[in-house]
Amino acid sequence: MNDLAALTRDYRVALLRYLPRREEAPLASGYELGRTALAHGVSILELARVHHDVLLDVLRDTRPDEVVGVAAAAADFFLEVLAAADMTHRGLRGATD
C-alpha cells in the first residue's frame, strides 16, 4: 500500500461506510486499514494527511447542522485507524523500559 492515492481511496470508502450508522463492522475495517497501512510503511503523519484530506471532502458535502456530528464520528474512526500504531508504540516502549 505504498500508493497514497489508493490509501486515500480506501480510507474514503471505509469512512463513508462508517458515518451513516456508526456501527462496529465498518469501524473494524478502519482498524484493519490502519494496520495494513502501517505494515506497508505508511507513517502516522501520512495517515493524518489522508484523514484530513478525506474529512475535508466529506465536510464539503455535509449539511451545516450535521458538521459537528460528522466531525466527531470521523475522529472516532481516525482513532481506530491509529489504534494499531498506538499498540505498536506502546509495545516498543514497554520493551525498552
Side-chain angles (χ1 to χ4, degrees):
M1 185 181 295
N2 291 334
D3 183 9
L4 286 181
L7 173 60
T8 301
R9 180 197 63 228
D10 294 346
Y11 193 99
R12 179 176 286 110
V13 168
L15 179 61
L16 290 174
R17 284 185 183 150
Y18 174 68
L19 288 176
R21 294 194 188 118
R22 300 170 190 164
E23 295 174 337
E24 188 62 33
L27 192 59
S29 69
Y31 173 80
E32 288 301 321
L33 182 67
R35 200 171 81 113
T36 301
L38 292 170
H40 286 91
V42 176
S43 74
I44 293 173
L45 294 177
E46 289 169 317
L47 283 173
R49 171 52 69 189
V50 167
H51 172 77
H52 180 75
D53 291 347
V54 171
L55 179 59
L56 282 177
D57 285 344
V58 169
L59 291 177
R60 284 186 187 106
D61 296 329
T62 301
R63 292 186 352 203
D65 62 321
E66 296 177 347
V67 167
V68 172
V70 167
D76 292 340
F77 184 82
F78 187 47
L79 290 176
E80 196 66 25
V81 170
L82 294 178
D86 184 62
M87 286 187 283
T88 300
H89 174 74
R90 288 174 190 261
L92 291 173
R93 191 175 69 200
T96 60
D97 288 346

